Amino acid sequence: EDQVTQSPEALRLQEGESSSLNCSYTVSGLRGLFWYRQDPGKGPEFLFTLYSAGEEKEKERLKATLTKKESFLHITAPKPEDSATYLCAVQVVRDDYKLSFGAGTTVTVRA
Amino acid sequence: DVKVTQSSRYLVKRTGEKVFLECVQDMDHENMFWYRQDPGLGLRLIYFSYDVKMKEKGDIPEGYSVSREKKERFSLILESASTNQTSMYLCASTNPGTGIGKLFFGSGTQLSVL
């Protein structure tokens, strides 16, 4: 069975304190790994797609990387507006329509 | 701006009631999905539809059904609501060309079954 595990569950950061979130996966044949951001009371919002080990994507203070077993979301010099729950999801080669989501990491950035 | 609209933000129902959750997208997307989100469990796929009148079961379809009579509208039906169906329900849509991983989500319906 495909498994997606995110750690830590919660992360409290001081503004400017860089850190990383982890998404580890156990799947048979990765088609793609995706990162989303979810603000309280809203649906998830797409951030990044990663397809192969070694790939990196960046957006503002966020940088996502991928290895054969896990993905990291690095937050550089975070600001309070980066506070959100970050979700990762994977799609496997045998599934055209299904994503398997992790439970998420809730990031709180204090000013 | 792309939009997925869910009809209710909060809903309170009684056990045994039939519940309809509506979702409309204005992006002419072919694929639509219903997920539920529970603390510590992440999002779990209930049903999806890859075309009008087409539907496929996801991971947790028991106790649910769906309807897609028009391309823009995807409805989730709880035939007889139970307390274990209390959850946040999220609708999403996408197009095959965009890639299934880039989903556009609605804001969700928080359903409480008493």
Side-chain angles (χ1 to χ4, degrees), chain A residues 39-66:
Chain A
D39 292 306
K42 294 190 176 181
E45 181 180 351
F46 173 82
L47 290 173
F48 302 114
T49 301
L50 299 164
Y51 288 115
S52 55
E55 191 174 358
E56 299 182 351
K57 293 279 179 70
E58 282 189 74
K59 181 180 180 180
E60 296 180 354
R61 294 174 294 281
L62 300 178
K63 180 180 176 181
T65 63
L66 181 66

Side-chain angles (χ1 to χ4, degrees), chain A residues 31 34-36 38 40-46 48-49 51 85 87 89 91 95-104, chain B residues 9 31 33 35 37 40-45 48 50 59 88 90 96 98-108:
Chain A
R31 180 179 285 188
F34 313 94
W35 283 96
Y36 286 80
Q38 186 174 22
K42 294 190 176 181
E45 181 180 351
F46 173 82
F48 302 114
T49 301
Y51 288 115
T85 296
L87 305 172
Q91 184 187 9
D95 269 320
D96 288 335
Y97 296 99
K98 181 187 161 187
L99 296 182
S100 296
F101 280 83
Chain B
R9 184 70 185 91
N31 305 323
F33 305 80
Y35 285 87
Q37 184 174 30
L41 294 179
L43 278 74
R44 292 179 291 166
L45 182 63
F48 65 93
Y50 53 87
D59 293 323
M88 169 69 81
L90 289 162
T98 306
I100 214 70
K102 188 175 181 180
L103 294 173
F104 294 87
F105 283 90
S107 292

Side-chain angles (χ1 to χ4, degrees), chain B residues 51-108:
Chain B
D51 202 351
V52 177
K53 296 190 184 295
M54 306 303 290
K55 58 186 178 184
E56 293 286 342
K57 294 180 180 178
D59 293 323
I60 51 166
E62 297 77 20
Y64 304 94
S65 63
V66 290
S67 172
R68 192 163 180 207
E69 296 297 317
K70 293 184 177 181
K71 189 175 186 180
E72 67 271 18
R73 187 179 297 269
F74 193 33
S75 303
L76 180 69
I77 303 150
L78 286 65
E79 299 292 342
S80 177
S82 63
T83 55
N84 62 12
Q85 292 179 311
T86 291
S87 185
M88 169 69 81
Y89 289 88
L90 289 162
C91 174
S93 71
T94 192
N95 259 345
T98 306
I100 214 70
K102 188 175 181 180
L103 294 173
F104 294 87
F105 283 90
S107 292

